[in-house]
Amino acid sequence: PRLPDAGIWRNISIISIEKARIQDVRVDQFHKDGTVRLRIHTNLNRYTDDEVWVNVSVTAPDGSVLTASGTDCELIVQNPQLWWPAGFGGQPLYQLSVSLCAKGKELDVWSRRIGLRTMTVSRRKDQWGESFSHCVNGVDIFAMGADYIPEDNLLPRVNPERTRRLLEDAKAANMNCIRVWGGGYYPDDFFYDICDELGLLVWQDFMFACAVYNLTDAFEENITAEFVDNVRRLRHHASLALWCGNNEMEQFVAQGEWVTSMRQKADYIKMYEYIIPKVLKAEDPQAFYWPASPSSGGSFDDPQDPTRGDVHYWMVWHGLLPFTDYRNHQFRYVSEFGFQSFPCMETIESFTAPEDRNVFSYVMEKHQRNASANGRILFYLSQMYLYPRSLELLVYASQLLQAQAMQYGVEHWRRHRGCCMGAVVWQLNDCWPVASWSSIDYYGRWKALHYYEKRCFAPILISCEEEGILTQDPNPNAQPYVVRKSIRLNVANETRRDVAVTVRWALRRADGRIKWEREQAVRVPALSAVWLDPEELPDADLYGDYVSYECFQDDAVLSQGTVIFCPHKQFHYQDPQLSVRVEGDEVVLFR
């Protein structure tokens, strides 16, 4: 629904001020030789000439306290407990309190939690072009996450409990990164508090997306105040990974989209490459700034260059290319790519009457963000699956389709870790019950994609680059031709420790019986991906055999998967004769 939010929708307070108040506090961190020097600058609003002073305290997670005084002061933290993204270490938070006093009376207090860490983006020349990766405490991180949009189209419905559940679900899927999309609004403080606690890096867009603006004096004054307010509000958060100027505007303005005059193109440069950097230099000088997403660094210099910066890749889905096209691109950091599915059946039932439950009904098409996309889902489904016999099966098949599309991309880019350093899926959530790209629907129900993300974002991942009909010629009228059948396994290790694993793979018949099995010990260095030798399988039955693979350590399976060599609709699946029942809180499968 197009329901423009207008008016006052966040809390208002009337503040009584005596003598002076704390306007804002900036904390700069300097890490060296196992210590952290905190430089704390307190900006005051004074209303009298009376003497006032500032006391500062930092309370460590173990309860120890450091103190200092003055509007500009420093504290030295010995043996600091560093904050890390999820999967790389803990998220210890220090309590920083700044109090303003006069004649023994506390006039004002500013108190926030901070994390001790260095945070930037690595951009180095290498054999693939120029790197682009989050660098935390000197460690380059492969970003695994999703794009966050407003949780509701009526913003006051969003609350800490709802947001915490959503972000905890993101972490449960092994995500370490959330991109706050520039087409929404600046989330509440509790959003960032929760990201601090969970170890979710926040790529923060400024709130500009898919449009151009006339930079009048009044508009410049307005947006500059908006920048200052939000930078001051958010800059202390441990999870804040970078500031980004806008969503998709450099790319499309460079192509002449939306622009009606050269003045607007010039105003774009002023806003995102002069005004915002100037504000950040004054208000958050240690932060990394990126002018747009996607971008190669700004100034309309090939924003979608695959060898540098970040990209939005939409030829799969919008361009109707097959899943396998992801493997034609390595990129440096993919900050948007996505594929749609229908929401869970219970969600569909919440907005339809029985007579509306057809994907081409008016109500179903009204609950679809992308024009003609219900038909696009069926277009892709026709490539992979047999036609579903009911709406329930169609909904289920659409979710499997979405999950497998994203799996193709994520696993491919993780196999090429080092060249590619980010796979951020569009999108995490919905603002109303709708068919969309989300992995979690409006009511918080996980789609198949979210379960798949839990697997393909696992810290240690085994995946397979297979060759079969889908990677060659899926047109059945092209057959017969000699289909190459092969596998090449890869183990990705997104942890800070070397791991020794055993990889086991087997060629199996459709009923699961093993035709042959192999095993190999593999050492995977920290923060790397290791390929096993490719293996040709000319004798595999194209429609009746599949390969299972797993990696394990001390008899514990860390990651596993399967591949077939034909589209699912052509494979000779067998009924496993399984039934399911719910016993209390457990789901039990039995034969």
Side-chain angles (χ1 to χ4, degrees):
R2 287 162 173 79
L3 300 175
D5 290 276
I8 297 166
W9 60 279
R10 278 177 167 149
N11 292 338
I12 292 176
S13 58
I14 298 175
I15 301 172
S16 174
I17 299 169
E18 182 179 349
K19 302 182 189 306
R21 68 185 289 263
I22 297 172
Q23 177 175 293
D24 63 271
V25 176
R26 195 182 88 209
V27 184
D28 296 327
Q29 300 185 22
F30 303 91
H31 293 239
K32 186 177 181 181
D33 300 331
T35 66
V36 178
R37 177 166 57 94
L38 298 177
R39 180 187 295 162
I40 301 161
H41 173 73
T42 304
N43 189 17
L44 302 179
N45 286 337
R46 294 176 178 267
Y47 301 97
T48 71
D49 294 330
D50 293 355
E51 182 182 6
V52 296
W53 62 90
V54 171
N55 294 324
V56 177
S57 68
V58 173
T59 304
D62 63 7
S64 59
V65 179
L66 295 172
T67 60
S69 60
T71 54
D72 287 284
C73 63
E74 291 189 353
L75 290 163
I76 305 296
V77 181
Q78 304 286 349
N79 303 313
Q81 299 181 49
L82 297 182
W83 183 96
W84 290 94
F88 291 85
Q91 292 79 44
L93 296 171
Y94 289 69
Q95 189 73 38
L96 171 62
S97 293
V98 178
S99 61
L100 175 64
C101 303
K103 296 181 180 180
K105 182 179 180 181
E106 187 174 84
L107 303 179
D108 198 4
V109 64
W110 183 98
S111 185
R112 304 288 191 275
R113 293 182 301 173
I114 64 171
L116 305 183
R117 87 292 186 267
T118 62
M119 183 80 75
T120 189
V121 169
S122 294
R123 297 177 67 198
R124 297 186 297 266
K125 299 296 183 183
D126 57 23
Q127 64 266 45
W128 302 289
E130 183 182 82
S131 67
F132 191 91
S133 62
H134 299 293
C135 183
V136 186
N137 302 323
V139 176
D140 287 340
I141 305 296
F142 189 104
M144 302 182 290
D147 292 276
Y148 169 88
I149 70 169
E151 295 170 53
D152 207 294
N153 57 14
L154 298 176
L155 301 183
R157 290 177 175 174
V158 180
N159 57 60
E161 294 75 25
R162 181 174 173 181
T163 297
R164 179 173 292 277
R165 177 188 172 190
L166 178 65
L167 294 176
E168 286 180 345
D169 284 349
K171 184 175 181 178
N174 290 310
M175 295 185 186
N176 60 30
C177 177
I178 295 292
R179 174 176 170 246
V180 179
W181 170 64
Y185 70 104
Y186 298 98
D188 295 90
D189 292 341
F190 57 73
F191 173 91
Y192 302 92
D193 289 335
I194 297 167
C195 289
D196 291 345
E197 296 168 13
L198 298 179
L200 295 173
L201 297 172
V202 176
W203 171 310
Q204 178 64 56
D205 283 4
F206 286 97
M207 290 300 116
F208 302 97
C210 305
V212 292
Y213 305 89
N214 294 312
L215 189 63
T216 63
D217 290 344
F219 188 62
E220 180 178 349
E221 181 182 5
N222 184 302
I223 60 175
T224 300
E226 178 181 305
F227 301 152
V228 170
D229 285 350
N230 282 287
V231 171
R232 288 178 177 177
R233 179 170 70 95
L234 303 178
R235 63 190 172 189
H236 68 279
H237 282 283
S239 57
L240 183 61
L242 65 84
W243 295 99
C244 178
N246 66 76
N247 173 77
E248 294 189 342
M249 290 166 57
E250 181 184 3
Q251 171 190 354
F252 287 108
V253 169
Q255 297 170 5
E257 298 285 339
W258 308 314
V259 179
T260 59
S261 68
M262 292 304 294
R263 172 66 182 271
Q264 288 179 335
K265 194 169 185 178
D267 285 349
Y268 172 93
I269 294 292
K270 292 175 186 176
M271 286 175 61
Y272 305 109
E273 300 189 22
Y274 177 72
I275 295 173
I276 295 179
K278 187 176 180 180
V279 169
L280 287 173
K281 183 177 181 180
E283 301 293 342
D284 196 8
Q286 292 188 315
F288 180 86
Y289 175 66
W290 194 237
S293 181
S295 181
S296 298
S299 302
F300 308 118
D301 181 15
D302 194 2
Q304 285 274 48
D305 187 343
T307 69
R308 56 199 171 116
D310 71 309
V311 303
H312 293 185
Y313 190 68
W314 283 103
M315 292 308 293
V316 177
W317 183 254
H318 288 304
L320 296 177
L321 292 184
F323 303 169
T324 50
D325 180 69
Y326 286 128
R327 294 186 182 174
N328 296 325
H329 311 279
Q330 293 191 21
F331 300 128
R332 306 316 305 263
Y333 187 117
V334 191
S335 50
E336 268 193 34
F337 68 110
F339 195 96
Q340 274 205 7
S341 73
F342 295 108
C344 300
M345 196 64 208
E346 191 173 355
T347 297
I348 291 173
E349 290 170 352
S350 75
F351 63 79
T352 58
E355 61 270 21
D356 298 319
R357 290 171 193 158
N358 182 299
V359 296
F360 298 125
S361 73
Y362 179 84
V363 172
M364 289 285 284
E365 290 190 333
K366 198 72 172 176
H367 289 73
Q368 167 55 264
R369 174 63 183 86
N370 188 198
S372 304
N374 289 355
R376 184 167 293 159
I377 292 172
L378 292 180
F379 169 81
Y380 274 103
L381 188 142
S382 71
Q383 299 174 14
M384 298 292 287
Y385 302 139
L386 297 175
Y387 191 78
R389 298 185 301 272
S390 65
L391 178 60
E392 290 78 6
L393 281 176
L394 174 56
V395 166
Y396 183 71
S398 79
Q399 292 195 13
L400 285 180
L401 192 70
Q402 176 192 35
Q404 290 173 344
M406 295 297 91
Q407 178 189 32
Y408 248 84
V410 171
E411 290 187 347
H412 166 69
W413 289 313
R414 287 198 63 184
R415 289 193 288 265
H416 292 275
R417 189 202 193 277
C419 176
C420 185
M421 290 298 289
V424 180
V425 176
W426 182 269
Q427 63 204 59
L428 176 64
N429 59 304
D430 285 324
C431 67
W432 77 311
V434 65
S436 80
W437 302 268
S438 70
S439 64
I440 299 176
D441 77 18
Y442 174 75
Y443 293 107
R445 300 182 176 108
W446 288 24
K447 298 182 183 179
L449 171 57
H450 210 72
Y451 292 95
Y452 269 59
E453 287 170 334
K454 185 175 182 179
R455 299 175 189 174
C456 58
F457 287 151
I460 297 172
L461 168 74
I462 186 170
S463 65
C464 181
E465 185 179 85
E466 88 290 349
E467 283 288 338
I469 288 177
L470 286 176
T471 60
Q472 293 164 70
D473 190 346
N475 177 10
N477 292 318
Q479 296 178 23
Y481 66 91
V482 177
V483 178
R484 180 188 170 201
K485 292 160 288 182
S486 69
I487 61 169
R488 192 181 185 194
L489 298 173
N490 179 284
V491 182
N493 175 14
E494 198 59 28
T495 74
R496 293 192 293 135
R497 68 183 191 282
D498 297 352
V499 296
V501 298
T502 300
V503 174
R504 180 184 295 150
W505 65 101
L507 182 66
R508 297 174 181 265
R509 295 182 173 90
D511 61 7
R513 287 180 295 164
I514 295 175
K515 298 178 74 169
W516 54 253
E517 186 175 59
R518 308 205 206 306
E519 192 173 288
Q520 180 179 332
V522 179
R523 180 182 174 276
V524 189
L527 308 170
S528 72
V530 172
W531 288 96
L532 279 68
D533 291 335
E535 185 165 2
E536 299 291 331
L537 302 174
D539 297 329
D541 186 324
L542 190 58
Y543 306 107
D545 287 347
Y546 69 97
V547 174
S548 65
Y549 50 89
E550 61 184 358
C551 71
F552 56 93
Q553 192 176 59
D554 301 327
D555 297 323
V557 175
L558 303 178
S559 179
Q560 60 186 338
T562 61
V563 293
I564 59 177
F565 302 104
C566 65
H568 291 280
K569 63 186 179 182
Q570 296 172 359
F571 190 77
H572 298 156
Y573 284 104
Q574 297 191 17
D575 187 347
Q577 303 294 320
L578 291 176
S579 299
V580 62
R581 66 170 175 260
V582 178
E583 296 180 355
D585 294 331
E586 295 184 349
V587 176
V588 180
L589 286 171
F590 59 95
R591 189 179 292 274

